[in-house]
Amino acid sequence: MILKLKRTPGLYLVGFMGSGKSTVGRGVARRLGWRFADIDEDVEARARMTIPEIFEAQGEEAFRRLETEVLRWRVQDVARGIPWVIAVGGGCFAREENFEIIQNHGISIWLDAPLEMIRARVAGSSHRPLARDPQRFAELYEERRPAYERADYRIVIGPEGSPGAVEAILNLPLF
């Protein structure tokens, strides 16, 4: 295992909504015997509201503040040496503050899925407020790519989907 991961055993899966972060994260955590967390699920639990409800009642900025708060909370375990695989929301890694938290507490892995694959995965999804407008969805996908490119590793999601991504991560020169 590389030294950075020994010191701060956090694997952070980043990427656009629908790229498979939660599914892949659960698979990687299970195979490694590590804990798994989904920041979006943590946000909903902390707020006692769904993400669409948070967006509707408080707005995106309130959601982003809560997302950072929850990320900081999860990172406390990683900083104490407790290994976690953490799936972060699609916009989380695009915020400089969150990028720095993640980079200082483990390894980031970008799940890079093609836009059309993501569109198919989120089609008809009512729990993704930023996916409602197809034009804005495509713009957001392009806007966030430069942030995702800053991740330590990139895994391209191909026809083998999430199972292939799990294998690709486990084959990275980290372990």
Side-chain angles (χ1 to χ4, degrees):
M1 184 181 300
I2 65 171
L3 183 58
K4 182 177 183 181
L5 206 52
K6 282 183 180 179
R7 283 195 330 255
T8 54
L11 285 181
Y12 302 87
L13 301 184
V14 305
F16 203 66
M17 67 183 91
S19 62
K21 298 179 299 287
S22 298
T23 302
V24 172
R26 282 184 180 89
V28 170
R30 186 172 34 258
R31 295 274 300 275
L32 292 174
W34 289 17
R35 298 172 187 199
F36 172 76
D38 181 311
I39 295 297
D40 284 348
E41 291 174 5
D42 288 343
V43 166
E44 289 183 335
R46 172 103 24 120
R48 295 188 181 134
M49 300 169 79
T50 66
I51 291 172
E53 290 169 342
I54 296 167
F55 268 70
E56 182 69 30
Q58 301 170 13
E60 183 176 357
E61 193 51 42
F63 168 77
R64 296 294 172 202
R65 282 193 303 273
L66 187 54
E67 184 178 54
T68 298
E69 179 184 312
V70 167
L71 177 64
R72 286 183 184 283
W73 172 69
R74 281 285 176 206
V75 162
Q76 290 176 10
D77 270 358
V78 174
R80 289 194 309 263
I82 300 170
W84 281 88
V85 176
I86 300 174
V88 302
C92 184
F93 197 67
R95 294 177 66 102
E96 190 62 30
E97 178 181 15
N98 297 336
F99 170 79
E100 290 176 13
I101 292 167
I102 290 168
Q103 290 305 97
N104 289 325
H105 294 94
I107 302 294
S108 56
I109 302 171
W110 172 26
L111 299 184
D112 184 8
L115 180 58
E116 290 315 310
M117 178 186 288
I118 290 174
R119 279 191 199 276
R121 288 179 174 184
V122 303
S125 175
S126 62
H127 71 283
R128 298 180 190 272
L130 297 177
R132 293 179 182 146
D133 176 347
Q135 178 63 33
R136 181 66 188 127
F137 183 78
E139 291 168 0
L140 196 57
Y141 176 86
E142 292 303 327
E143 287 170 13
R144 289 183 178 170
R145 288 185 70 78
Y148 302 148
E149 288 171 354
R150 300 188 328 165
D152 296 309
Y153 294 92
R154 175 180 175 231
I155 301 294
V156 176
I157 308 299
E160 61 284 339
S162 296
V166 169
E167 292 306 318
I169 290 169
L170 294 173
N171 287 320
L172 288 172
L174 299 173
F175 311 102

